[in-house]
Amino acid sequence: MPYITTVRARLREADPTAAKEQHDTIVASLRPRGEPLGATTHMVFANAQDPQEFLAVDGWNNIEGLQAFMGDPSVQAELGGMFDGPPEVTVWLTREGWSEF
């Protein structure tokens, strides 16, 4: 069953170029650790009214890998370095059989 996580927070870095570089460095570091655990996608969004407001939507193919990855203190520390406070992380289940487009 597919799982989705949303990660919402305010970026610590106000400069968009510096924030992107920091994000991309973190993703390059964490992707090889997440994919073997079941990470399948990572999408990034900014609030149209406030570009420092960050939202990531990540896909996972199993809950155990997601929990192991997100529960790893080194992952939490690396991700947390991007934000001005703790991110709000929510886990979502795919609604099987519901119409989508």
Side-chain angles (χ1 to χ4, degrees):
M1 172 172 290
Y3 296 87
I4 300 294
T5 60
T6 56
V7 178
R8 293 186 63 165
R10 186 160 184 78
L11 293 170
R12 179 173 290 153
E13 181 59 62
D15 176 60
T17 301
K20 179 189 179 305
E21 288 174 10
Q22 183 180 33
H23 168 269
D24 292 353
T25 298
I26 291 169
V27 170
S29 171
L30 294 181
R31 183 175 183 178
R33 292 165 55 190
E35 285 181 336
L37 295 173
T40 59
T41 57
H42 175 70
M43 298 182 297
V44 184
F45 303 91
N47 182 320
Q49 303 299 315
D50 180 1
Q52 269 185 275
E53 190 174 336
F54 174 93
L55 171 67
V57 178
D58 299 325
W60 290 83
N61 63 23
N62 71 82
I63 192 69
E64 296 81 12
L66 185 163
Q67 290 170 333
F69 183 80
M70 296 304 276
D72 183 329
S74 67
V75 169
Q76 292 173 8
E78 203 161 345
L79 287 173
M82 274 195 331
F83 307 124
D84 68 0
E88 176 188 317
V89 179
T90 307
V91 178
W92 303 83
L93 291 170
T94 301
R95 296 239 185 210
E96 299 292 332
W98 289 46
S99 296
E100 298 178 308
F101 67 96

